[in-house]
Amino acid sequence: MRNWFDRLRMNLSRCMYGRNGQDELGFAAFIAGTVVYVIGGIAGNRVVLFIGLLLLGYVIFRMLSRNIEKRRRENAFFHDIIKRPGRYVKLLKLSREYRHTHRYFMCSRCGRIVRVPKGHGRIEITCPGCSNRFIKKT
């Protein structure tokens, strides 16, 4: 029985060679498709069930795709969209945690969070990531 599983694993590995496989966008689409499909099944709505199946089909298409560069660009775009709200949440958390000693600002060019000491009035801040300069009140 063990030999059979080893052969199956090797055949699947050989089949997936040169293909995209699973990435973060595919995993998010899988979760969304599963949730939509379950909701459609509970509600008894065939349109919602079909949308869930389309999302799951998209996941399989992404996994089996040989156009790896295009799938990487799609995944990078997904990361950029997901990263933006996370930066603001991090900025709010840091601002609240160190509100008595520091101020936090986000660079308008690269989005990097810059920490400056509080109580120095209006100062010119230089972003360490992209050297963008901006004036803020601390």
Side-chain angles (χ1 to χ4, degrees), residues 3-70:
N3 257 350
W4 185 82
F5 283 118
D6 288 340
R7 282 189 311 214
L8 179 65
R9 184 174 48 88
M10 289 299 290
N11 286 336
L12 284 175
S13 296
R14 200 174 307 128
C15 174
M16 290 302 290
Y17 182 77
R19 297 184 190 271
N20 187 49
Q22 184 71 2
D23 57 4
E24 289 82 8
L25 175 58
F27 184 70
F30 174 74
I31 297 295
T34 304
V35 168
V36 168
Y37 187 78
V38 168
I39 289 172
I42 291 171
N45 190 338
R46 289 185 179 178
V47 174
V48 177
L49 275 172
F50 184 70
I51 291 171
L53 283 175
L54 282 177
L55 281 170
L56 293 173
Y58 178 67
V59 170
I60 293 171
F61 164 75
R62 282 187 56 78
M63 284 179 62
L64 297 178
S65 174
R66 288 187 184 257
N67 193 350
I68 295 174
E69 185 57 37
K70 189 170 184 180

